[in-house]
Amino acid sequence: MTSFKIHLRGVPNVISVDRCAAKPLYQQIYDSFRTRIIDGQLRPARLVPSSRELARELRVSRLPVLNAYAQLIAEGYFESRAGAGTFVASSLPGAAKGRSANVASPIILANRRVAKEAARLPRYERPSWAASLGAFQVGQPDLHRFPIEIWLRLVARYSRSMRVKALQYGDALGRADLREVIATYLRTSRGVRCEPEQIMVVSGSQQALDLATRVLLDVGSSAWIEEPGYWLVHRVLQARGCRAMPVPVDDEGLDVSAGVKLARKARGVFVAPSHQYPLGVTMSASRRLQLLEWARSAGAWIIEDDYDSEYRYDTMPIASLQGLDTNGRVIYIGSFSKVMFPSLRLGYLVIPPDLVERFAAMRETMDICPADIAQAVTAEFIREGHFARHIRRMRPIYAERRRVLVAEIQQQFGDRATVLGDEAGMHLAILVRRLQNDAKIASKAAKESLWVSALSGLYLGGVRQQGFILGFGNTNLSQIAPAVQQLKKLLAP
């Protein structure tokens, strides 16, 4: 490798070129000048070598130097003065010495303002369980049993028949064919009262929660949340600057009377009535009617998260809360992440007809429209019956894993552990007596690739139960007994 570094009139190491590098010579010359100008080594109004002089010094032809100089002049780093030469542009700020992307510099965070909504969020850390699969991961279906060959065939078919129209921006509500099959599915399987025109396709249930919050709640608005509840609902409300009002969950679901006492005039409520997360409770009929009546009288909105109700083991699936609503107060949210695969990033909302236009306007502002290919393939996957067959095939598999897990917990822990919410879904919760710090145990378990989630971390208020959430969707039968025994060892005094 042959490289050259030259000194220009008292400025050390200004220009560096490497003949063996893949980057063109003109680009190397351009980068060297630009970096040192931004870094403050070359100050405004400083004379730089002529193109002939620099070409001679670098032992290259004049053409790459001319090209580099032309680019620097075009971008405003250099200026040419007739009869005088080429200079670093005098209009560049001289006092403020910026740093190039390749030069480390201390950053004074106090001077780098971000929006209050972003600043109030906790620090982002990718969950350790997201990096690899393992026993008891929450929210993870059995990816090995998804019919990937069928999916790939549908992707290939779509790709072969793709038309130019698919390259254009789509409808903010999503593809018409996918909305049609979703509406049919929801009417027949979930008791949702809807038409395709009310469906909006989104990037998973999290975008649906965020979108509903943006459309329905103002900064400073109060909203009921389940206590304990889904932690990303807390984040959505934080980001919006809303006040989350934790309402306790008992064996009948959200305690509506407690919510009324806490904040009668709240603007909304986030609830998972069919299978509450994390306790797994199903909201009773009387509580559902109470909640709908409160929403009607208070002019409040109900955001119903129906994230995994396809899997119910001892009874038929519970009908949606939205199906009971006669006042257009419920926004229904569903997702394909649990029944298909998480990286698909497809969910949907069912919106009251008079709000559809407002949701569409907000969606267009956020990200214009959903991507076409995932929608098109998912529509075919559902239309051809693969979606329904996959759910039918997985239901007994998950039911058996649930049965074995409950039996193993009872055998290993006896009356020390109480199992909650095992009637549906792909997770259950256990309350463990004499447990002092579930978060500490969960952290220790993660180091052994045991992905239990601490129950106490899902509370917003002061009183927090100690326990764990155990996902069994991606936990094979052979893993269950050793994993429960491993957890028992971690809990040993």
Side-chain angles (χ1 to χ4, degrees), residues 5 69 83 165 209 218 253 261 269 279 286 297 349 355 363 426 460 481:
K5 288 184 178 180
Y69 277 27
K165 184 179 180 181
L209 291 168
D218 293 312
K261 291 178 182 177
V269 55
L279 300 182
S286 61
S297 61
L349 300 106
L355 296 180
R363 171 62 183 282
M426 295 183 291
L460 203 60

Side-chain angles (χ1 to χ4, degrees), residues 76-98:
Y77 292 104
F78 279 4
E79 60 187 19
S80 180
R81 302 177 192 171
T86 302
F87 297 80
V88 178
S90 56
S91 59
L92 291 172
K97 298 179 181 179

Side-chain angles (χ1 to χ4, degrees), residues 197-215:
E197 294 76 21
Q198 294 175 250
I199 306 289
M200 173 180 280
V201 180
V202 291
S203 177
S205 61
Q206 192 59 31
Q207 187 183 41
L209 291 168
D210 181 51
L211 187 56
T213 303
R214 289 172 184 256
V215 173

Side-chain angles (χ1 to χ4, degrees), residues 7 38 64 162 171 175 178 199 234 258 263 278-279 287 306 327 350 377 419 439 463 468 476:
H7 295 243
I38 293 174
M162 188 174 178
D171 191 329
R175 282 180 61 115
L178 179 56
I199 306 289
H234 304 170
L279 300 182
R287 288 276 178 87
D306 199 21
N327 289 284
V350 179
V377 177
V419 177
V463 179
F468 303 103
N476 292 327

Side-chain angles (χ1 to χ4, degrees), residues 128-412:
S128 56
W129 49 261
S132 61
L133 300 178
F136 299 151
Q137 284 176 308
V138 175
Q140 190 74 259
D142 189 338
L143 302 179
H144 295 290
R145 293 181 183 267
F146 181 75
I148 188 67
E149 296 82 7
I150 293 174
W151 180 262
L152 291 175
R153 187 172 72 243
L154 294 175
V155 171
R157 189 168 74 194
Y158 169 84
S159 300
R160 288 193 299 269
S161 61
M162 188 174 178
R163 297 293 181 263
V164 171
K165 184 179 180 181
L167 305 180
Q168 299 172 337
Y169 290 111
D171 191 329
L173 294 171
R175 282 180 61 115
D177 56 351
L178 179 56
R179 292 158 58 203
E180 180 73 44
V181 296
I182 289 174
T184 301
Y185 166 70
L186 292 177
R187 286 195 298 262
T188 57
S189 299
R190 302 296 305 120
V192 174
R193 297 193 297 183
C194 65
E195 298 299 328
E197 294 76 21
Q198 294 175 250
I199 306 289
M200 173 180 280
V201 180
V202 291
S203 177
S205 61
Q206 192 59 31
Q207 187 183 41
L209 291 168
D210 181 51
L211 187 56
T213 303
R214 289 172 184 256
V215 173
L216 303 175
L217 303 182
D218 293 312
V219 174
S221 296
S222 59
W224 297 359
I225 61 168
E226 296 173 317
E227 176 82 336
Y230 183 42
W231 62 282
L232 280 174
V233 170
H234 304 170
R235 295 284 181 88
V236 163
L237 292 172
Q238 277 184 302
R240 180 64 175 152
C242 297
R243 291 181 295 152
M245 313 298 287
V247 178
V249 172
D250 59 23
D251 58 2
E252 288 191 70
L254 184 85
D255 188 338
V256 179
S257 297
V260 171
K261 291 178 182 177
L262 180 66
R264 176 184 292 273
K265 295 184 179 180
R267 281 279 294 278
V269 55
F270 292 79
V271 64
S274 295
H275 187 228
Q276 196 270 342
Y277 182 84
L279 300 182
V281 179
T282 298
M283 183 179 281
S284 67
S286 61
R287 288 276 178 87
R288 290 174 184 239
L289 295 175
Q290 287 178 43
L291 187 62
L292 289 167
E293 175 55 26
W294 166 77
R296 185 199 63 78
S297 61
W301 303 104
I302 300 172
I303 295 90
E304 178 182 6
D305 187 358
D306 199 21
Y307 63 97
D308 70 351
S309 56
E310 287 84 0
Y311 296 120
R312 194 163 191 89
Y313 307 114
D314 296 327
T315 63
M316 295 293 290
I318 303 297
S320 67
L321 177 65
Q322 191 268 4
L324 299 174
D325 179 25
T326 58
N327 289 284
R329 286 286 161 189
V330 177
I331 289 80
Y332 178 92
I333 293 174
S335 171
F336 293 109
S337 295
K338 306 295 187 297
V339 290
M340 292 176 64
F341 53 94
S343 67
L344 180 61
R345 305 311 307 139
L346 269 188
Y348 47 87
L349 300 106
V350 179
I351 307 164
D354 61 317
L355 296 180
V356 170
E357 182 274 332
R358 286 295 83 197
F359 271 80
M362 183 63 75
R363 171 62 183 282
E364 184 179 47
T365 302
M366 291 172 64
D367 69 345
I368 301 181
C369 63
D372 188 76
I373 182 170
Q375 293 186 82
V377 177
T378 301
E380 285 299 299
F381 189 78
I382 297 172
R383 186 184 296 110
E384 294 185 0
H386 307 300
F387 180 72
R389 280 192 292 273
H390 180 57
I391 292 173
R392 286 197 301 270
R393 184 167 57 248
M394 296 309 300
R395 190 174 285 129
I397 293 173
Y398 291 145
E400 178 66 7
R401 292 177 184 179
R402 174 205 62 151
R403 185 192 65 78
V404 171
L405 176 56
V406 171
E408 192 63 33
I409 291 170
Q410 292 172 342
Q411 180 178 339
Q412 294 296 328

